[in-house]
Coordinates of all heavy atoms in Angstrom, one line a residue:
M1102 N 0.8 -1.1 0.0 CA 0.0 0.1 0.0 C 0.8 1.2 0.0 O 1.8 1.3 0.8 CB -0.8 0.0 1.1 CG -1.9 1.1 1.2 SD -3.2 0.9 2.3 CE -3.7 -0.7 2.2
L1103 N 0.7 2.1 -1.1 CA 1.4 3.2 -1.1 C 0.9 4.3 -0.1 O -0.5 4.6 -0.1 CB 1.5 3.8 -2.4 CG 2.1 2.7 -3.4 CD1 1.9 3.1 -4.9 CD2 3.6 2.6 -3.2
K1104 N 1.8 5.3 0.4 CA 1.3 6.2 1.4 C 1.1 7.6 0.7 O 0.2 8.3 1.2 CB 2.5 6.5 2.4 CG 2.7 5.1 3.3 CD 1.5 4.9 4.2 CE 1.9 3.7 5.0 NZ 0.8 3.3 5.8
S1105 N 1.8 7.9 -0.4 CA 1.6 9.2 -0.9 C 0.7 9.2 -2.2 O 0.9 8.1 -3.0 CB 2.9 9.9 -1.2 OG 3.3 10.0 -2.5
W1106 N 0.0 10.1 -2.4 CA -0.9 10.2 -3.6 C -0.1 10.3 -5.0 O -0.3 9.5 -6.0 CB -1.8 11.3 -3.6 CG -2.7 11.6 -4.8 CD1 -2.4 12.6 -5.7 CD2 -3.7 10.8 -5.3 NE1 -3.4 12.4 -6.8 CE2 -4.1 11.4 -6.5 CE3 -4.2 9.6 -4.9 CZ2 -5.1 10.8 -7.3 CZ3 -5.2 9.1 -5.5 CH2 -5.7 9.7 -6.8
D1107 N 1.0 11.0 -5.0 CA 1.8 11.1 -6.1 C 2.5 9.8 -6.4 O 2.7 9.4 -7.6 CB 2.9 12.3 -5.9 CG 2.3 13.7 -5.9 OD1 1.1 13.9 -6.5 OD2 2.9 14.6 -5.2
S1108 N 3.1 9.2 -5.5 CA 3.7 7.9 -5.7 C 2.7 6.8 -6.3 O 3.0 6.0 -7.0 CB 4.5 7.4 -4.6 OG 3.6 7.1 -3.4
F1109 N 1.5 6.8 -5.7 CA 0.4 5.9 -6.1 C 0.1 6.2 -7.5 O 0.0 5.3 -8.3 CB -0.9 6.0 -5.3 CG -1.9 5.2 -5.8 CD1 -2.1 3.9 -5.9 CD2 -3.1 6.0 -6.4 CE1 -3.2 3.3 -6.4 CE2 -4.0 5.3 -7.0 CZ -4.1 3.9 -6.9
M1110 N -0.2 7.4 -7.9 CA -0.5 7.7 -9.3 C 0.5 7.4 -10.2 O 0.2 7.0 -11.4 CB -1.0 9.2 -9.4 CG -2.4 9.5 -9.0 SD -3.7 8.5 -9.7 CE -3.7 9.2 -11.3
T1111 N 1.8 7.6 -9.9 CA 2.9 7.3 -10.8 C 2.9 5.8 -11.0 O 3.1 5.2 -12.1 CB 4.3 7.7 -10.1 OG1 4.1 9.2 -10.0 CG2 5.4 7.5 -11.2
A1112 N 2.9 5.0 -10.0 CA 2.9 3.6 -9.9 C 1.7 3.0 -10.8 O 1.9 2.1 -11.7 CB 3.0 3.0 -8.7
A1113 N 0.5 3.6 -10.5 CA -0.7 3.0 -11.1 C -0.6 3.3 -12.6 O -1.0 2.5 -13.5 CB -1.9 3.7 -10.6
L1114 N -0.2 4.6 -13.1 CA -0.1 4.8 -14.5 C 0.9 4.1 -15.3 O 0.8 3.6 -16.2 CB 0.2 6.4 -14.7 CG -1.0 7.3 -14.3 CD1 -0.6 8.8 -14.4 CD2 -2.3 7.0 -14.9
D1115 N 2.1 3.8 -14.6 CA 3.1 2.9 -15.1 C 2.5 1.5 -15.4 O 2.8 1.0 -16.5 CB 4.4 2.9 -14.2 CG 5.1 4.1 -14.3 OD1 4.8 4.9 -15.2 OD2 5.9 4.4 -13.4
L1116 N 1.8 1.0 -14.4 CA 1.2 -0.3 -14.6 C 0.2 -0.5 -15.6 O 0.1 -1.3 -16.4 CB 0.6 -0.8 -13.2 CG 0.1 -2.2 -13.0 CD1 1.3 -3.1 -13.3 CD2 -0.4 -2.4 -11.7
I1117 N -0.6 0.6 -15.8 CA -1.8 0.6 -16.8 C -1.0 0.7 -18.2 O -1.5 0.0 -19.1 CB -2.6 1.8 -16.6 CG1 -3.6 1.5 -15.4 CG2 -3.5 1.9 -17.9 CD1 -4.3 2.7 -14.9
M1118 N 0.0 1.4 -18.3 CA 0.6 1.6 -19.7 C 1.4 0.3 -20.1 O 1.5 0.1 -21.3 CB 1.7 2.9 -19.6 CG 0.8 4.2 -19.4 SD -0.5 4.4 -20.5 CE 0.4 4.8 -22.0
E1119 N 2.0 -0.4 -19.0 CA 2.9 -1.4 -19.5 C 2.1 -2.8 -19.6 O 2.7 -3.7 -20.2 CB 4.1 -1.6 -18.4 CG 3.6 -2.3 -17.2 CD 4.8 -2.4 -16.2 OE1 5.7 -1.6 -16.3 OE2 4.8 -3.3 -15.4
S1120 N 0.9 -2.9 -19.0 CA 0.2 -4.1 -19.0 C -1.1 -4.0 -19.7 O -2.0 -3.2 -19.1 CB 0.1 -4.7 -17.7 OG -0.5 -5.9 -17.7
P1121 N -1.5 -4.6 -20.7 CA -2.9 -4.5 -21.4 C -3.9 -5.2 -20.5 O -5.1 -4.9 -20.6 CB -2.8 -5.2 -22.7 CG -1.5 -5.8 -22.7 CD -0.6 -5.4 -21.5
Q1122 N -3.4 -6.1 -19.6 CA -4.3 -6.8 -18.8 C -4.7 -6.0 -17.5 O -5.5 -6.5 -16.5 CB -3.9 -8.2 -18.3 CG -4.0 -9.1 -19.4 CD -2.8 -9.1 -20.4 OE1 -1.7 -8.6 -20.0 NE2 -3.0 -9.6 -21.6
A1123 N -4.1 -4.8 -17.3 CA -4.3 -4.1 -16.1 C -5.9 -3.5 -15.9 O -6.4 -3.2 -16.9 CB -3.4 -2.9 -16.0
R1124 N -6.2 -3.6 -14.7 CA -7.6 -3.0 -14.5 C -7.6 -2.2 -13.2 O -6.6 -2.4 -12.3 CB -8.6 -4.3 -14.4 CG -8.2 -5.2 -13.4 CD -9.0 -6.4 -13.5 NE -8.7 -7.5 -12.6 CZ -7.6 -8.2 -12.7 NH1 -6.7 -8.1 -13.8 NH2 -7.2 -9.1 -11.8
A1125 N -8.5 -1.3 -13.1 CA -8.6 -0.4 -11.9 C -9.9 -0.6 -11.2 O -11.0 -1.0 -11.8 CB -8.6 1.1 -12.4
K1126 N -9.9 -0.4 -10.0 CA -11.1 -0.6 -9.2 C -11.2 0.3 -7.9 O -10.1 0.7 -7.5 CB -11.0 -2.1 -8.5 CG -12.2 -2.5 -7.6 CD -12.2 -4.0 -7.3 CE -11.1 -4.1 -6.2 NZ -11.1 -5.5 -5.6
V1127 N -12.3 0.8 -7.7 CA -12.6 1.7 -6.5 C -13.6 1.0 -5.7 O -14.6 0.7 -6.2 CB -13.2 3.1 -6.9 CG1 -13.4 3.9 -5.8 CG2 -12.1 3.7 -7.9
K1128 N -13.2 0.8 -4.4 CA -14.2 0.1 -3.4 C -14.4 1.0 -2.3 O -13.4 1.5 -1.8 CB -13.7 -1.2 -3.1 CG -14.6 -1.9 -2.1 CD -14.2 -3.4 -1.9 CE -15.3 -4.1 -1.0 NZ -14.9 -5.5 -0.9
Y1129 N -15.7 1.3 -2.1 CA -16.0 2.4 -1.0 C -16.5 1.7 0.3 O -17.5 0.8 0.1 CB -17.0 3.5 -1.5 CG -17.2 4.5 -0.5 CD1 -16.5 5.4 -0.2 CD2 -18.5 4.5 0.0 CE1 -16.7 6.4 0.8 CE2 -18.9 5.5 1.0 CZ -17.9 6.4 1.4 OH -18.2 7.3 2.4
Y1130 N -15.9 2.0 1.3 CA -16.4 1.4 2.6 C -17.2 2.5 3.4 O -16.6 3.5 3.9 CB -15.2 1.0 3.5 CG -14.4 -0.2 2.9 CD1 -13.4 -0.1 2.0 CD2 -14.9 -1.6 3.1 CE1 -12.6 -1.0 1.5 CE2 -14.2 -2.6 2.5 CZ -13.0 -2.2 1.7 OH -12.4 -3.2 1.3
K1131 N -18.6 2.3 3.3 CA -19.4 3.5 3.9 C -19.1 3.8 5.4 O -19.1 4.9 5.8 CB -20.9 2.9 3.6 CG -21.8 4.1 4.0 CD -23.2 3.6 3.5 CE -24.2 4.7 3.9 NZ -25.6 4.4 3.4
I1132 N -19.0 2.7 6.1 CA -18.9 2.8 7.5 C -17.6 3.6 7.9 O -17.7 4.5 8.7 CB -18.9 1.5 8.4 CG1 -20.2 0.9 8.1 CG2 -18.5 1.6 9.8 CD1 -20.3 -0.6 8.6
K1133 N -16.5 3.2 7.3 CA -15.2 4.0 7.6 C -15.1 5.2 6.7 O -14.2 6.0 7.0 CB -14.1 3.0 7.2 CG -14.0 1.7 8.1 CD -12.9 0.9 7.7 CE -12.8 -0.4 8.5 NZ -11.6 -1.3 8.2
Q1134 N -15.9 5.4 5.6 CA -15.8 6.5 4.8 C -14.4 6.6 4.1 O -13.8 7.6 4.0 CB -16.2 7.9 5.5 CG -17.6 7.8 6.0 CD -18.0 9.2 6.7 OE1 -17.2 10.0 7.0 NE2 -19.3 9.3 6.8
I1135 N -14.0 5.5 3.6 CA -12.7 5.4 3.0 C -13.0 4.7 1.6 O -13.7 3.7 1.5 CB -11.7 4.6 3.8 CG1 -11.3 5.4 5.1 CG2 -10.5 4.2 2.9 CD1 -10.4 4.6 5.9
A1136 N -12.3 5.2 0.5 CA -12.2 4.5 -0.7 C -11.0 3.8 -1.0 O -9.9 4.5 -0.6 CB -12.5 5.5 -1.8
L1137 N -11.0 2.6 -1.3 CA -9.8 1.8 -1.7 C -9.6 1.8 -3.1 O -10.4 1.3 -3.8 CB -9.9 0.5 -1.1 CG -8.6 -0.4 -1.0 CD1 -7.6 0.2 0.1 CD2 -9.1 -1.8 -0.5
L1138 N -8.5 2.3 -3.7 CA -8.2 2.6 -5.0 C -7.2 1.5 -5.4 O -6.1 1.4 -4.7 CB -7.7 4.0 -5.4 CG -8.4 5.1 -4.8 CD1 -7.7 6.4 -5.1 CD2 -9.8 5.2 -5.4
T1139 N -7.4 0.7 -6.4 CA -6.5 -0.5 -6.7 C -6.3 -0.5 -8.2 O -7.3 -0.3 -8.9 CB -7.2 -1.8 -6.2 OG1 -7.6 -1.7 -4.8 CG2 -6.3 -2.9 -6.4
V1140 N -5.1 -0.8 -8.7 CA -4.8 -1.1 -10.1 C -4.0 -2.4 -9.9 O -3.1 -2.4 -9.2 CB -4.0 0.0 -10.6 CG1 -3.5 -0.3 -11.9 CG2 -4.8 1.4 -10.7
T1141 N -4.3 -3.3 -10.7 CA -3.6 -4.6 -10.8 C -3.7 -5.3 -12.1 O -4.5 -5.0 -12.9 CB -4.4 -5.6 -9.8 OG1 -3.6 -6.8 -9.7 CG2 -5.8 -5.9 -10.2
D1142 N -2.6 -6.1 -12.3 CA -2.6 -7.0 -13.5 C -2.4 -8.4 -13.1 O -1.8 -9.2 -13.9 CB -1.5 -6.5 -14.5 CG -0.1 -6.7 -14.0 OD1 0.1 -7.1 -12.8 OD2 0.8 -6.5 -14.8
D1143 N -2.8 -8.8 -12.0 CA -2.6 -10.1 -11.3 C -1.2 -10.5 -10.9 O -0.9 -11.4 -10.1 CB -3.1 -11.2 -12.3 CG -4.5 -11.1 -12.5 OD1 -5.3 -10.6 -11.6 OD2 -5.1 -11.5 -13.5
K1144 N -0.2 -9.7 -11.4 CA 1.2 -10.0 -11.0 C 1.6 -8.8 -10.1 O 2.3 -9.1 -9.0 CB 2.1 -10.1 -12.2 CG 1.9 -11.2 -13.0 CD 2.8 -11.3 -14.3 CE 2.4 -12.4 -15.2 NZ 3.1 -12.4 -16.5
K1145 N 1.4 -7.7 -10.3 CA 1.7 -6.5 -9.5 C 0.4 -5.8 -9.2 O -0.6 -5.9 -9.8 CB 2.5 -5.5 -10.4 CG 3.7 -6.0 -11.0 CD 4.4 -5.0 -11.7 CE 5.5 -5.6 -12.6 NZ 6.1 -4.6 -13.4
H1146 N 0.5 -5.0 -8.1 CA -0.8 -4.2 -7.7 C -0.3 -3.0 -6.9 O 0.6 -3.1 -6.3 CB -1.9 -5.1 -7.0 CG -1.3 -5.6 -5.6 ND1 -0.7 -6.8 -5.5 CD2 -1.3 -5.1 -4.4 CE1 -0.3 -6.9 -4.2 NE2 -0.9 -5.9 -3.6
C1147 N -1.1 -2.0 -7.1 CA -1.0 -0.7 -6.4 C -2.3 -0.5 -5.6 O -3.3 -0.4 -6.2 CB -0.7 0.5 -7.4 SG 0.7 0.2 -8.4
I1148 N -2.1 -0.1 -4.3 CA -3.4 0.2 -3.6 C -3.2 1.5 -2.8 O -2.0 1.8 -2.2 CB -3.6 -1.0 -2.6 CG1 -3.7 -2.3 -3.1 CG2 -4.7 -0.7 -1.6 CD1 -3.8 -3.5 -2.2
F1149 N -4.2 2.3 -2.7 CA -4.2 3.5 -1.9 C -5.4 3.7 -1.3 O -6.5 3.5 -1.9 CB -3.9 4.6 -3.0 CG -3.7 6.0 -2.4 CD1 -2.6 6.3 -1.7 CD2 -4.7 7.0 -2.5 CE1 -2.3 7.6 -1.1 CE2 -4.5 8.2 -1.8 CZ -3.2 8.5 -1.2
K1150 N -5.5 4.2 0.1 CA -6.7 4.6 0.7 C -6.8 6.1 0.6 O -5.8 6.9 0.9 CB -6.6 4.2 2.1 CG -6.6 2.7 2.5 CD -6.6 2.3 3.9 CE -6.7 1.0 4.2 NZ -6.5 0.8 5.7
S1151 N -8.0 6.4 0.5 CA -8.3 7.9 0.4 C -9.7 8.3 0.9 O -10.7 7.6 0.7 CB -8.2 8.5 -1.1 OG -8.3 9.9 -1.2
R1152 N -9.7 9.5 1.5 CA -11.0 10.0 1.8 C -11.2 11.3 1.0 O -12.4 12.0 1.2 CB -11.0 10.5 3.4 CG -11.1 9.3 4.2 CD -11.2 9.7 5.7 NE -11.3 8.3 6.3 CZ -11.3 8.3 7.7 NH1 -11.2 9.3 8.4 NH2 -11.4 7.1 8.3
N1153 N -10.3 11.7 0.3 CA -10.3 12.9 -0.5 C -11.2 12.6 -1.9 O -10.8 11.8 -2.7 CB -9.0 13.4 -0.8 CG -9.1 14.8 -1.5 OD1 -10.0 15.2 -2.1 ND2 -7.9 15.4 -1.5
V1154 N -12.3 13.3 -2.0 CA -13.2 13.1 -3.1 C -12.4 13.6 -4.4 O -12.6 12.9 -5.5 CB -14.5 13.9 -3.0 CG1 -15.4 13.7 -4.2 CG2 -15.2 13.4 -1.8
D1155 N -11.7 14.6 -4.4 CA -11.0 15.0 -5.6 C -10.0 14.1 -6.0 O -9.8 13.8 -7.3 CB -10.3 16.4 -5.3 CG -11.2 17.6 -5.0 OD1 -12.3 17.5 -5.5 OD2 -10.8 18.5 -4.3
E1156 N -9.3 13.4 -5.1 CA -8.4 12.3 -5.5 C -9.0 11.2 -6.2 O -8.7 10.6 -7.2 CB -7.5 11.9 -4.4 CG -6.5 12.9 -3.8 CD -5.9 12.3 -2.5 OE1 -6.3 11.3 -1.9 OE2 -4.8 13.0 -2.1
I1157 N -10.2 10.8 -5.6 CA -11.0 9.7 -6.2 C -11.5 10.1 -7.5 O -11.4 9.1 -8.4 CB -12.1 9.3 -5.2 CG1 -11.6 8.9 -3.9 CG2 -13.1 8.2 -5.8 CD1 -12.6 8.8 -2.8
E1158 N -12.0 11.2 -7.8 CA -12.6 11.6 -9.1 C -11.3 11.5 -10.1 O -11.5 11.2 -11.2 CB -13.3 12.9 -8.9 CG -14.6 12.9 -8.3 CD -15.2 14.3 -8.1 OE1 -14.6 15.3 -8.5 OE2 -16.3 14.2 -7.8
Q1159 N -10.3 12.2 -9.6 CA -9.0 12.3 -10.6 C -8.7 10.9 -11.0 O -8.4 10.6 -12.2 CB -8.0 13.0 -9.9 CG -6.8 13.1 -10.8 CD -5.5 13.9 -10.1 OE1 -5.7 14.1 -8.9 NE2 -4.6 14.0 -10.8
F1160 N -8.5 9.9 -10.0 CA -8.2 8.6 -10.3 C -9.1 7.9 -11.3 O -8.9 7.3 -12.4 CB -8.2 7.8 -9.1 CG -7.9 6.3 -9.3 CD1 -6.7 5.8 -9.5 CD2 -9.0 5.3 -9.2 CE1 -6.5 4.5 -9.7 CE2 -8.8 4.0 -9.3 CZ -7.4 3.6 -9.6
I1161 N -10.6 8.1 -11.1 CA -11.5 7.4 -11.9 C -11.4 8.1 -13.3 O -11.4 7.4 -14.4 CB -12.9 7.7 -11.4 CG1 -13.1 6.9 -10.1 CG2 -14.0 7.2 -12.4 CD1 -14.4 7.0 -9.4
K1162 N -11.3 9.4 -13.4 CA -11.3 10.0 -14.9 C -10.0 9.6 -15.6 O -10.0 9.2 -16.8 CB -11.3 11.5 -14.7 CG -12.6 12.1 -14.4 CD -12.6 13.6 -14.2 CE -13.9 14.2 -13.6 NZ -13.9 15.5 -13.3
L1163 N -8.8 9.7 -14.9 CA -7.6 9.5 -15.6 C -7.5 7.9 -16.0 O -7.2 7.6 -17.2 CB -6.4 9.8 -14.7 CG -5.1 9.7 -15.4 CD1 -5.1 10.7 -16.5 CD2 -4.0 10.2 -14.4
T1164 N -7.8 6.9 -15.1 CA -7.8 5.6 -15.5 C -8.7 5.2 -16.5 O -8.5 4.4 -17.5 CB -7.9 4.6 -14.3 OG1 -9.2 5.0 -13.6 CG2 -6.7 4.8 -13.3
S1165 N -10.0 5.7 -16.5 CA -11.0 5.4 -17.5 C -10.5 6.0 -18.8 O -10.6 5.2 -19.9 CB -12.3 6.2 -17.1 OG -12.8 5.7 -15.8
K1166 N -10.0 7.2 -18.9 CA -9.5 7.8 -20.2 C -8.4 6.9 -20.8 O -8.3 6.6 -22.0 CB -8.9 9.2 -20.0 CG -8.7 9.9 -21.2 CD -8.2 11.4 -21.0 CE -9.5 12.2 -20.5 NZ -9.0 13.5 -20.4
L1167 N -7.4 6.4 -20.0 CA -6.4 5.7 -20.4 C -6.9 4.3 -20.9 O -6.4 3.8 -21.9 CB -5.3 5.5 -19.3 CG -4.4 6.6 -19.0 CD1 -3.5 6.3 -17.8 CD2 -3.6 6.9 -20.3
M1168 N -7.7 3.7 -20.2 CA -8.2 2.3 -20.6 C -9.1 2.3 -21.9 O -9.0 1.4 -22.6 CB -8.9 1.7 -19.4 CG -7.8 1.4 -18.3 SD -8.7 0.5 -16.9 CE -7.4 0.1 -16.0
L1169 N -9.8 3.4 -22.0 CA -10.6 3.5 -23.2 C -9.8 3.9 -24.4 O -10.1 3.4 -25.6 CB -11.7 4.5 -23.0 CG -12.8 4.1 -21.9 CD1 -13.6 5.3 -21.8 CD2 -13.6 2.9 -22.5
N1170 N -8.7 4.4 -24.3 CA -7.9 4.8 -25.4 C -6.8 3.8 -25.8 O -5.9 4.1 -26.6 CB -7.2 6.1 -25.2 CG -8.1 7.2 -25.2 OD1 -9.2 7.2 -26.0 ND2 -7.9 8.3 -24.5
V1171 N -6.8 2.5 -25.3 CA -5.9 1.6 -25.6 C -6.2 1.2 -27.1 O -7.2 0.8 -27.5 CB -5.9 0.5 -24.6 CG1 -5.0 -0.7 -25.1 CG2 -5.4 0.9 -23.2
D1172 N -5.1 1.1 -27.9 CA -5.2 0.5 -29.2 C -5.3 -0.9 -29.1 O -4.4 -1.7 -28.6 CB -4.0 0.9 -30.0 CG -4.1 0.6 -31.4 OD1 -5.1 0.0 -31.9 OD2 -3.0 0.8 -32.2
P1173 N -6.4 -1.6 -29.8 CA -6.5 -3.0 -29.6 C -5.4 -3.7 -30.4 O -5.2 -5.0 -30.1 CB -7.8 -3.2 -30.4 CG -8.3 -2.0 -31.0 CD -7.4 -1.0 -30.5
N1174 N -4.7 -3.2 -31.4 CA -3.6 -3.8 -32.0 C -2.3 -3.9 -30.9 O -1.5 -4.8 -31.3 CB -3.1 -3.1 -33.2 CG -4.2 -3.0 -34.3 OD1 -5.0 -4.0 -34.4 ND2 -4.4 -1.9 -35.0
E1175 N -2.4 -3.1 -30.0 CA -1.2 -3.2 -29.0 C -1.3 -4.3 -28.0 O -0.5 -4.8 -27.4 CB -1.1 -1.9 -28.2 CG -0.6 -0.7 -29.2 CD -0.6 0.6 -28.4 OE1 -0.8 0.5 -27.1 OE2 -0.3 1.6 -29.0
V1176 N -2.6 -4.8 -27.9 CA -2.9 -5.8 -26.9 C -2.4 -7.1 -27.5 O -2.7 -7.5 -28.4 CB -4.5 -5.9 -26.6 CG1 -4.7 -7.1 -25.6 CG2 -5.0 -4.6 -26.2
K1177 N -1.5 -7.8 -26.6 CA -0.8 -9.0 -26.9 C -1.8 -10.2 -26.4 O -2.3 -10.1 -25.2 CB 0.5 -9.1 -26.4 CG 1.5 -8.1 -26.9 CD 2.8 -8.1 -26.2 CE 3.7 -7.1 -26.7 NZ 4.9 -7.1 -26.0
E1178 N -1.9 -11.2 -27.3 CA -2.8 -12.3 -26.8 C -2.0 -13.1 -25.9 O -0.9 -13.4 -26.2 CB -3.2 -13.0 -28.1 CG -4.4 -12.3 -28.9 CD -4.9 -13.3 -30.0 OE1 -4.8 -14.5 -29.7 OE2 -5.3 -12.8 -31.0
D1179 N -2.7 -13.7 -24.9 CA -2.0 -14.6 -23.9 C -1.9 -15.9 -24.6 O -2.8 -16.4 -25.2 CB -3.0 -14.7 -22.7 CG -2.1 -15.3 -21.6 OD1 -1.0 -15.4 -21.6 OD2 -2.9 -15.8 -20.6
P1180 N -0.8 -16.5 -24.6 CA -0.6 -17.8 -25.2 C -1.4 -18.9 -24.6 O -1.7 -19.9 -25.3 CB 1.0 -18.2 -25.0 CG 1.5 -17.2 -24.1 CD 0.6 -16.0 -24.0
Q1181 N -1.8 -18.7 -23.4 CA -2.7 -19.7 -22.7 C -4.1 -19.7 -23.3 O -4.7 -20.7 -23.3 CB -2.8 -19.5 -21.3 CG -1.4 -19.9 -20.5 CD -1.5 -19.4 -19.1 OE1 -2.5 -19.0 -18.6 NE2 -0.4 -19.8 -18.5
E1182 N -4.5 -18.6 -23.8 CA -5.9 -18.4 -24.4 C -6.0 -19.1 -25.6 O -7.0 -19.4 -26.2 CB -6.2 -16.9 -24.5 CG -6.4 -16.3 -23.2 CD -6.8 -14.7 -23.2 OE1 -6.9 -14.3 -24.5 OE2 -6.9 -14.1 -22.3
Q1183 N -4.9 -19.3 -26.4 CA -4.9 -19.8 -27.7 C -5.1 -21.4 -27.7 O -5.6 -22.0 -28.6 CB -3.6 -19.7 -28.4 CG -3.5 -18.1 -28.7 CD -2.1 -17.8 -29.4 OE1 -1.2 -18.6 -29.5 NE2 -1.9 -16.5 -29.7
K1184 N -4.7 -21.9 -26.5 CA -4.9 -23.3 -26.4 C -6.4 -23.8 -26.2 O -7.1 -23.0 -25.4 CB -4.1 -23.8 -25.2 CG -2.7 -23.9 -25.3 CD -1.9 -24.3 -24.2 CE -0.4 -24.1 -24.2 NZ 0.3 -24.4 -23.1
T1185 N -6.8 -24.7 -26.8 CA -8.2 -25.1 -26.7 C -8.3 -26.4 -26.0 O -7.5 -27.3 -26.2 CB -9.0 -25.2 -28.2 OG1 -8.3 -26.1 -29.0 CG2 -9.0 -23.9 -28.8
D1186 N -9.3 -26.7 -25.2 CA -9.6 -27.9 -24.6 C -10.2 -28.9 -25.5 O -11.2 -28.6 -26.1 CB -10.4 -27.6 -23.3 CG -10.5 -28.9 -22.4 OD1 -9.6 -29.7 -22.6 OD2 -11.3 -28.9 -21.6
K1187 N -9.6 -30.2 -25.5 CA -10.3 -31.1 -26.4 C -11.7 -31.5 -25.9 O -12.4 -32.0 -26.8 CB -9.3 -32.4 -26.4 CG -8.0 -32.2 -27.0 CD -7.1 -33.4 -27.0 CE -5.7 -33.1 -27.6 NZ -4.8 -34.3 -27.4
K1188 N -12.0 -31.5 -24.6 CA -13.3 -31.9 -24.2 C -14.2 -30.7 -24.2 O -15.3 -30.8 -23.7 CB -13.1 -32.4 -22.8 CG -12.2 -33.7 -22.6 CD -12.2 -34.1 -21.2 CE -11.4 -35.3 -21.1 NZ -11.2 -35.7 -19.8
Q1189 N -13.8 -29.7 -24.8 CA -14.8 -28.4 -24.9 C -16.0 -28.7 -25.4 O -17.0 -28.1 -24.9 CB -14.0 -27.2 -25.5 CG -14.7 -25.9 -25.4 CD -13.8 -24.9 -26.1 OE1 -12.8 -25.1 -26.7 NE2 -14.4 -23.6 -26.1
G1190 N -16.2 -29.4 -26.5 CA -17.4 -29.7 -27.2 C -18.4 -30.7 -26.5 O -19.5 -30.7 -26.7
K1191 N -17.8 -31.5 -25.6 CA -18.6 -32.5 -24.8 C -19.3 -31.9 -23.8 O -18.7 -31.2 -23.0 CB -17.7 -33.7 -24.5 CG -17.1 -34.4 -25.7 CD -16.2 -35.5 -25.1 CE -15.4 -36.2 -26.2 NZ -14.6 -37.2 -25.8
K1192 N -20.6 -32.3 -23.5 CA -21.3 -31.8 -22.4 C -21.4 -33.0 -21.3 O -21.5 -34.1 -21.6 CB -22.7 -31.5 -22.9 CG -22.7 -30.2 -23.7 CD -24.2 -29.9 -24.0 CE -24.3 -28.7 -24.9 NZ -25.6 -28.4 -25.3
K1193 N -21.2 -32.5 -20.0 CA -21.4 -33.5 -19.0 C -22.8 -33.5 -18.5 O -23.5 -32.5 -18.5 CB -20.4 -33.2 -17.9 CG -19.0 -33.4 -18.2 CD -18.2 -33.1 -16.9 CE -16.7 -33.2 -17.2 NZ -15.8 -33.0 -16.1
G1194 N -23.3 -34.6 -18.2 CA -24.7 -34.8 -17.8 C -25.1 -36.3 -17.7 O -24.3 -37.1 -17.9
K1195 N -26.3 -36.4 -17.2 CA -26.8 -37.8 -16.9 C -27.3 -38.4 -18.2 O -27.6 -39.5 -18.3 CB -27.9 -37.7 -15.9 CG -27.3 -37.2 -14.5 CD -28.4 -37.2 -13.5 CE -27.8 -36.8 -12.1 NZ -28.8 -36.8 -11.1
G1196 N -27.6 -37.6 -19.2 CA -28.2 -38.3 -20.4 C -29.6 -38.1 -20.5 O -30.2 -37.3 -19.6
N1197 N -30.2 -38.7 -21.4 CA -31.7 -38.6 -21.5 C -32.3 -39.6 -20.6 O -32.0 -40.8 -20.7 CB -32.1 -38.8 -23.1 CG -31.6 -37.6 -24.0 OD1 -31.3 -36.6 -23.4 ND2 -31.4 -38.0 -25.2
K1198 N -33.3 -39.1 -19.9 CA -34.0 -40.0 -19.1 C -35.4 -40.2 -19.9 O -36.0 -39.4 -20.4 CB -34.4 -39.5 -17.7 CG -33.0 -39.4 -16.8 CD -33.5 -38.9 -15.5 CE -32.2 -39.0 -14.6 NZ -32.5 -38.6 -13.2
K1199 N -35.8 -41.6 -19.8 CA -37.1 -41.9 -20.4 C -38.2 -42.2 -19.3 O -37.9 -42.6 -18.2 CB -36.9 -43.1 -21.3 CG -36.1 -42.8 -22.4 CD -36.0 -44.0 -23.4 CE -35.0 -43.7 -24.5 NZ -34.9 -44.8 -25.5

């Protein structure tokens, strides 16, 4: 968890720019009145707690804009997604009952 807003935004933007699988999430805890801002790509993650509405709005606007402007040609396909399961076409079940 990063302590300063500037270090969090720098790390989050670097992660979004280097990984096409990166995603951003904002989770709000009503009782504590804290927003948990997260950017992750399953290998690395950046987390920041904030109560400042301006910081939360800035994070949402900036990450949304960056993620929407990603060129689909830049996205590299994951080699694991290309493999197909041989049993994919078969359905499991009890069969037809008469």
Side-chain angles (χ1 to χ4, degrees):
M1102 187 165 317
L1103 299 167
K1104 300 288 182 184
S1105 109
W1106 173 249
D1107 293 330
S1108 64
F1109 167 73
M1110 282 305 289
T1111 303
L1114 293 176
D1115 289 344
L1116 186 58
I1117 290 171
M1118 296 305 287
E1119 76 181 33
S1120 176
Q1122 285 83 23
R1124 57 196 175 277
K1126 178 175 77 169
V1127 177
K1128 186 169 184 178
Y1129 181 71
Y1130 295 94
K1131 186 176 180 178
I1132 295 172
K1133 296 180 182 179
Q1134 295 182 344
I1135 290 177
L1137 193 65
L1138 312 174
T1139 307
V1140 176
T1141 184
D1142 70 347
D1143 293 331
K1144 294 177 185 172
K1145 301 177 194 172
H1146 63 275
C1147 306
I1148 301 173
F1149 185 74
K1150 286 183 185 178
S1151 179
R1152 290 186 179 175
N1153 187 341
V1154 176
D1155 293 333
E1156 290 176 347
I1157 298 166
E1158 287 178 352
Q1159 181 183 2
F1160 174 76
I1161 292 170
K1162 286 178 185 177
L1163 193 58
T1164 54
S1165 300
K1166 188 181 288 188
L1167 283 174
M1168 290 183 177
L1169 289 173
N1170 289 331
V1171 172
D1172 184 11
N1174 296 328
E1175 292 178 3
V1176 178
K1177 298 176 184 173
E1178 290 187 27
D1179 191 19
Q1181 293 176 354
E1182 291 178 4
Q1183 293 175 356
K1184 296 178 182 177
T1185 56
D1186 191 15
K1187 293 179 182 177
K1188 297 180 181 179
Q1189 187 176 5
K1191 297 179 182 177
K1192 293 183 181 178
K1193 292 183 179 180
K1195 296 181 180 178
N1197 295 335
K1198 290 187 177 181
K1199 294 182 180 179

